[in-house]
Amino acid sequence: MNPWFGPDVAVWFSFFSLLAVTAALEPLAQRGKYRALVMGTFGGGFALGLVFLGIGGIALLLDQPWYVPFPFLVTSVATTSAFAGGLHGARRAYQAAEERRILAKDI
């Protein structure tokens, strides 16, 4: 079977891991702002990590050379774990912001 791409292209997939930079969205969540944007970004990033995991698994099943599935699998682990943690943290931050907002109304 022919490889999907060469080893020189595989290096570029590591840049997908830079999507974890969206951790900068955490302050927005702590302030209770832009909920749809923040939750959508974290959810989309998590889904993208799962897609990369699936592609890496398919590459393994199709017996591609190591440099084909490796970047997909490494990128999937990085993005999925970062976005899953971010999604959980953002959900808690929005709940805390809502509780603060309700408490402020009661005062």
Side-chain angles (χ1 to χ4, degrees), residues 9 21-22 38 45 56 62-63 69 71 76 80 103:
V9 175
V21 172
T22 57
V38 173
L62 294 177
D63 202 27
S76 73
T80 304
L103 185 61

Side-chain angles (χ1 to χ4, degrees), residues 24-35:
L25 295 174
E26 191 68 28
L28 294 175
Q30 290 174 350
R31 292 183 187 139
K33 306 273 185 191
Y34 304 107
R35 183 181 185 125

Side-chain angles (χ1 to χ4, degrees), residues 4 8-9 14 18-19 24 26 34 38 42 52 62 73 76 88-89 91 101 103:
W4 293 346
D8 53 328
V9 175
S14 64
L18 293 176
L19 290 173
E26 191 68 28
Y34 304 107
V38 173
F42 282 123
F52 283 138
L62 294 177
L73 296 174
S76 73
H88 180 66
R91 191 173 290 138
R101 191 175 299 122
L103 185 61

Side-chain angles (χ1 to χ4, degrees), residues 19 39-40 47-48 52-53 58 60 63 81 86 95:
L19 290 173
M39 297 299 283
L48 182 64
F52 283 138
L53 181 64
I58 290 170
L60 282 174
D63 202 27
S81 60
Q95 287 174 350

